[in-house]
């Protein structure tokens, strides 16, 4: 054999080559990251000074920015200046304590530093070997959270199931649906995809229909069970059974049912146990989307909303909504991980390794659509350890207490009314000064009220329509929100309503 | 009308209620985030002291961590201590300068602080109104990057197309495929999903097949065009045409072709222009996956790899791979955004707003599978501004120069050989001391060599198999890698090979 001599190497010795550009210079990293910490802390400190809902016009930014990337580097301070002058005015400030729209996305110092650490490692943990800690910590925290929720062992790694962190509910729904679909098609053959039927209610998240279409379910086979205010917009097991039986009678195959704990519109809770009764024996996969409402179930007094969960096939919950975790973090638990893996595994040569081949480890790429994945478990781990179960429960209870306070304001005022009973921390209400007036007029009045309130920039609320009633949604949950914000919001709404009444002759015209 | 008196409100005045738990206490945030910056900077500074490939055994972490989340909060310093003692040993250090596996995921100070800012805002920018700046900055940076790549106007917002940031290539492929599929099914009817055929080569990323299955394409309709070393593992337009013609003759419908610029195995480049010739007139959607190789095309001398790009329907490129952006960030450009929107739009009442209804703005939720999305454009914006095009080009050229240096080592050593010509910054080579020996033996020898090298923990390399040849992949690109690391890696590989030769009688047995 030959031996290596330095002279064999035709290039100059390395020490003579000077690096020309170092994008991860440690000193520069330290300086800039510290500077950014202060920038962000200052932003949080001053967040109440910005209009909650951005007041810019479409296209505002293009006119302010150059048409091309600069050829030469620009100083960090110039960029921060532009964040202040160009970006912040175009932000709708989701972290403002006066943000009561949609569902607020909750955050915390712990999750922030957890996210920094996740970014730091930049581990592309597609399989166990690519970063054992990333895979194993995810398994641990998914079991921790399952315990917090008092899920049965059948959803835990320490039992017969397991969990995985997806981006958002859409991805969680998609992989559960694909697992169910492929189980069905393995039995029926691909050509029978045309027979597969999926079920949700008219309150199920809009992404469900989209995800079903993405998975190739025929649009004509997507059933939407109507709900009514009599059931507080929960899915009716009786109706579901009727629709499923009709489908079976026409030779179709029930594939998937999506139940929701805390719908996006009004936080309705579908009756899991009764829906499981309907699903039983049909072969349909029952999924529970508890994106928002699930987090409340870490408190014993709310756990009953998950009653019957031991009978479903999968459950998703998004800690980025109500467990202080920043976006994006959606936890999915499944009873039969092997069905996910069967539907979603890949095994290219360049990822092969002994560990995976011995089947002794979890390769999370086979539990999701994509290959690469971030080390998101760190955030959840930091949140659970930094605050402890005790504080997480206090946090949930505090939001619900503030929502109750707002509910109290609404109920105590004869000009306003609750439209849907409050379940979690969302209050669905409306302005209804003339009890017998035309419903369309009341809807219009509330639209005007919402506009009036939001254009002040002092708070941001959104609306929904259910049972043909236009209602205002007051969602308490932004992490910085305290009693005084809820109180001030109510005062603003009330005053705006009064102003509106005074000029009501304009509204009708 | 009634009037609001303080006495109407049944709850205590807000100032009397003390918040019990504040997960975003600004002072605590500041302290912990600064502490974390130093922790991370120190980690980067010491990263060479860790074994690149984690040496832990499966299950190592579960035994070290408690079985449940703590009830009481734990001090931040305890958590950092556990990151050091429990997490870091289980990391495969993707950012180590001695990481030459897969494709390294490149990073930078600018992207890190950009990611901090993205986290900070926590804007859930599903539609324009939910955060105008998030949508508009994404439109701007997608056009900037398109210009850097000299893409035609038909892919830009300033022209007739547009771009969107997805998570990874899988999501980009999925939405492009769904847009193509739904265009076809609108014409053919859902029941004809059985006729839709998709094409890739045996070198196309493994996620392609998975994504096609997710989209409901029949597994029997997924065509894999074989490649050979004669074509350097590029897809043959002649073969593709033949397969497509046979499909059409049997009444099937060509739907989608995925070409690759820089395959994961060996960085093969499919001939875009010639594949466009084949696609022309068939109605098939032509997508280019340039996840890795695309970034090189910001340098004029490599731009030719995208020749013909004006004739394709969509292009994806992942700046998290080679444009210093941290995970995850995959840019997708499409010529007909309306096809994405048609396939993926949702319009629930609670997201309705004037801006979206006037159709005057981009609502990115209609360009992706999910609803919620992070403000990822900040990272790309920070990278492009902080470094400028000039430094980004230097960065690409520097990695390629180092790969060339390694290639020089391989070529100058009679015991080693290149297996595939080097195109970008990946060197595919093997140890081949006995030129006429059994191919299976040479494969085995290289497997042993890889094991030997990786178990030292001093570098991490991976392998692939193409054309039945087992080869070692030396991928230069980790941001901290300099000439001395490449040189030391070569020395280690060389010495390990020598050691292996000395005990080669063990290997054969």
């Amino acid at each position: 054999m030959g031996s290596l001599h330095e002279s064999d190497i035709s290039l100059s010795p390395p020490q003579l080559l000077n690096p020309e550009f170092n994008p991860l210079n440690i000193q520069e990293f330290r300086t800039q990251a510290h500077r950014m910490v202060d920038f962000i802390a200052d932003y949080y400190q001053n967040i109440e000074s910005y209009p909650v809902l951005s007041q810019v016009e479409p296209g505002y930014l293009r006119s302010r920015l150059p048409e091309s990337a600069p050829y030469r580097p620009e100083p960090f301070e110039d960029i921060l200046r532009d964040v202040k002058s160009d970006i912040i005015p175009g932000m709708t400030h989701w972290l403002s304590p006066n943000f009561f729209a949609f569902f607020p996305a909750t955050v915390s110092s712990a999750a922030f530093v957890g996210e920094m650490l996740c970014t730091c490692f930049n581990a592309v943990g597609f399989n166990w070997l690519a970063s054992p800690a990333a895979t194993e910590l995810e398994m641990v925290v998914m079991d921790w959270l399952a315990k917090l929720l008092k899920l049965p062992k059948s959803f835990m790694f320490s039992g017969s199931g397991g969990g995985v962190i997806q981006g958002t509910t859409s991805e969680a729904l998609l992989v559960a649906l694909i697992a169910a679909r492929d189980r069905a098609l393995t039995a029926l053959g691909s050509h029978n995809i045309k027979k597969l039927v999926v079920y949700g209610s008219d309150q199920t998240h809009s992404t469900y229909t989209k995800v079903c279409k993405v998975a190739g379910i025929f649009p004509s086979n997507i059933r939407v069970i109507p709900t009514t205010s009599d059931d507080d917009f929960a899915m009716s097991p009786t109706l579901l059974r009727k629709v499923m039986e009709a489908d079976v009678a026409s030779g179709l195959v029930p594939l998937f049912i999506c139940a929701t704990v805390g719908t996006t519109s009004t936080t309705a809770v579908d009756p899991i146990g009764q829906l499981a009764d309907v699903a039983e024996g049909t072969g349909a996969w029952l999924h529970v989307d508890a994106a928002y409402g699930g987090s409340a179930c870490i408190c014993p007094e709310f756990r009953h909303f998950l009653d019957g969960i031991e009978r479903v096939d999968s459950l998703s919950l998004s800690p980025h909504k109500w467990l202080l975790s920043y976006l994006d973090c959606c936890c999915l638990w499944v009873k039969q991980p092997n069905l996910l893996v069967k539907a979603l595994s890949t095994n290219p040569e360049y990822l092969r390794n002994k560990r995976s081949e011995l089947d002794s480890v979890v390769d999370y790429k086979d539990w999701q659509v994509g290959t690469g994945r971030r080390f998101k478990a760190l955030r959840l781990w930091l949140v659970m350890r930094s605050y402890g179960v005790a504080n997480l429960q206090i946090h949930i209870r505090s939001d619900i207490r503030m929502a109750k306070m707002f509910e109290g304001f609404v109920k105590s005022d004869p000009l306003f009314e609750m439209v849907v009973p409050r379940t979690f921390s969302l209050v669905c209400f409306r302005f209804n000064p003339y009890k017998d007036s035309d419903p369309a007029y009341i809807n219009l009045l509330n639209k005007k009220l919402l506009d009036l309130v939001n254009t002040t920039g002092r708070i941001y609320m959104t609306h929904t329509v259910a049972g043909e009633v236009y209602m205002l949604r007051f969602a308490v949950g932004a992490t910085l929100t305290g009693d005084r914000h809820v109180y001030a919001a109510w005062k603003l709404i009330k005053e705006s309503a009064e102003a509106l009444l005074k000029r009501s002759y304009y509204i009708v015209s």
Side-chain angles (χ1 to χ4, degrees), chain A residues 115-186:
Chain A
E115 177 65 12
M116 285 172 75
L117 203 53
C118 162
T119 306
C120 151
F121 288 128
N122 207 40
V124 189
F126 36 72
N127 59 17
W128 181 86
L129 193 66
S131 227
T135 297
E136 298 203 8
L137 190 67
E138 187 159 332
M139 295 169 73
V140 167
V141 297
M142 289 302 293
D143 269 14
W144 279 13
L145 191 48
K147 278 190 187 165
L148 234 68
L149 293 163
K150 302 209 184 312
L151 298 186
K153 278 275 183 188
S154 52
F155 284 114
M156 298 187 206
F157 287 107
S158 59
S160 50
V164 57
I165 301 179
Q166 305 279 340
T168 63
T169 301
S170 311
E171 288 163 61
L173 276 172
L174 183 58
V175 298
L177 183 65
I178 296 294
R181 186 199 68 183
D182 284 7
R183 176 177 66 175
L185 293 181
T186 302

Side-chain angles (χ1 to χ4, degrees), chain A residues 8 78 84 245 295 298 358 361 401 434 449 474 481:
Chain A
D8 290 344
D78 287 9
K84 270 193 191 161
E245 284 174 355
S295 295
I298 65 166
L358 289 173
V361 292
R401 185 187 51 72
Y434 316 114
L449 176 57
F474 189 82
T481 301

